[in-house]
Amino acid sequence: MSEAPASPAPMEGHGSYNRRSHVQAAGIAAAIPLLEESAGLVPLTTAPEPIVIADYGSSEGHNSLAPVSAAISVLRKRTGSNHAISVIHTDLASSDFSVLFQTPDSYLRGDNAVFASAVGRSFYGEILPPGSVTLGWSSWAVQWLSRIPAPIPDQVQIAYSSDPQARAAYADQAAQDWRVFLESRSREMKKGGRLVVLTMARDDVEGFGYRSVVAAAYAALCDMVRDGVIGKAELERMVIPTFGRSRADLLAPFAASGYFAGLAVGHCEIFLAEDHIWSQYEKDRDATAFGARWAAFSRASVAPTLALGLDDKNHTARTALFIDELESRMTAKLAAAPERSAIPLAKLVLEKSAV
Ligand SMILES: C[S@@+](CC[C@H](N)C(=O)[O-])C[C@H]1O[C@@H](n2cnc3c(N)ncnc32)[C@H](O)[C@@H]1O
């Protein structure tokens, strides 16, 4: 089998992710109260030292506006209006940061003491100064592994693969990445600081979820091989290196002592987010719109990473054609048999020791 690409690509740029991330936005609402509560409890810096809010895996930023605004509202009740708040959005260097700074309805409006900036580096490592972050937020990001640990011979998503070697390689990588993520964030956090994480997860009953969406993606890719749109070797290289961690996976680093890297778990909950695409379908019975919405979600979030399996991934015209083709084939497959998707998510609060 030909070698898989080394690491995932960022979300589709030029505003595509912002336009096609309503599924993620819906899940985020469930974690905002944890961020508000954390903003009310964290020890604050004394002016002129700014209060730093870090947003890990921001993509094009639209989905960061609600949580960051909510956190600032709570902080502002605790500080004077002149106390500087620094909001640092972080993502992979190749992410489309220009859109992030054009995103309207910004939390910057009406508060001259809030300052936004961005860091283009992987969150699997330290990317902000030690002891600088008061409040951290990361939504729908840490399910992305730092690297593609192995090809998946019978699928593009490891949760639906029956290959034991591939399953073991992904589980090992997910465990290692989660530890590195926690260690890195802990070093960046101030004493008493808090980090709220919302991530795709594994539910005891529903598993990884998105069953029909993943099935449609893999079937569409197999059809594209049959129809000569992509080669068999190209499909063999295509994987989505996301991993739904179970509650036990998320808590494993803390199992021995209740602490890991100076962090304690203040909250850890697996829950099922509402499938708003299905709810809309129940209202309008428009199967094509149903298929198009899930295909658009897949396009913006995973198609750029799948496209890394193409022979010439720098061939922009072929990449664009591949992404369009995948989206339209997925739309047709999902429209043919609409199904509610399970959307398992985990929300956590990690607290840095105050001493
Ligand atoms: C599904 S988007 C989530 C965006 C936004 N936070 C939201 O909730 O809609 C996942 C983001 O995580 C980013 N990401 C994945 N791996 C990363 C890494 N190692 N370091 C930084 N960002 C990463 C991706 O580039 C992408 O922008």
Side-chain angles (χ1 to χ4, degrees), residues 85-254:
I85 298 178
S86 164
V87 181
I88 309 177
H89 300 281
T90 80
D91 209 292
L92 297 171
S94 45
S95 186
D96 194 346
F97 287 103
S98 58
V99 170
L100 192 148
F101 288 111
Q102 290 156 15
T103 300
D105 302 324
S106 170
Y107 52 80
L108 295 170
R109 282 212 195 111
D111 191 330
N112 293 334
V114 177
F115 302 89
S117 58
V119 170
R121 288 182 70 195
S122 169
F123 51 48
Y124 293 118
E126 274 177 81
I127 53 176
L128 295 173
S132 64
V133 176
T134 292
L135 207 51
W137 167 259
S138 181
S139 60
W140 288 86
V142 76
Q143 73 272 358
W144 284 94
L145 301 181
S146 62
R147 54 185 280 273
I148 294 169
I152 308 176
D154 56 347
Q155 245 298 342
V156 285
Q157 164 50 245
I158 197 63
Y160 291 102
S161 166
S162 324
D163 187 84
Q165 277 178 333
R167 290 181 72 88
Y170 277 73
D172 286 352
Q173 189 66 51
Q176 188 186 319
D177 283 349
W178 180 231
R179 288 179 135 78
V180 171
F181 181 82
L182 293 171
E183 282 166 346
S184 308
R185 300 298 73 80
S186 177
R187 282 196 282 272
E188 295 167 354
M189 283 159 78
K190 283 195 167 295
K191 287 180 181 164
R194 292 186 180 215
L195 168 68
V196 178
V197 175
L198 177 76
T199 175
M200 287 165 81
R202 181 169 192 85
D203 175 76
D204 286 344
V205 176
E206 300 288 351
F208 178 75
Y210 313 90
R211 199 204 62 81
S212 63
V213 182
V214 175
Y218 190 59
L221 291 165
C222 291
D223 288 356
M224 286 161 79
V225 172
R226 180 199 62 203
D227 298 343
V229 180
I230 57 173
K232 189 163 173 290
E234 292 183 309
L235 172 56
E236 285 172 353
R237 288 192 294 261
M238 289 180 185
V239 294
I240 305 168
T242 53
F243 191 90
R245 296 180 180 88
S246 65
R247 184 182 159 82
D249 293 337
L250 292 164
L251 295 179
F254 303 90

Side-chain angles (χ1 to χ4, degrees), residues 44-51 79-80 82-84:
L44 299 182
T45 57
T46 308
E49 187 187 345
I51 298 165
T79 63
N82 293 330
H83 193 158

Side-chain angles (χ1 to χ4, degrees), residues 330-344:
M330 281 188 72
T331 299
K333 285 189 184 296
L334 288 158
E339 193 181 288
R340 183 198 294 272
S341 278
I343 305 179

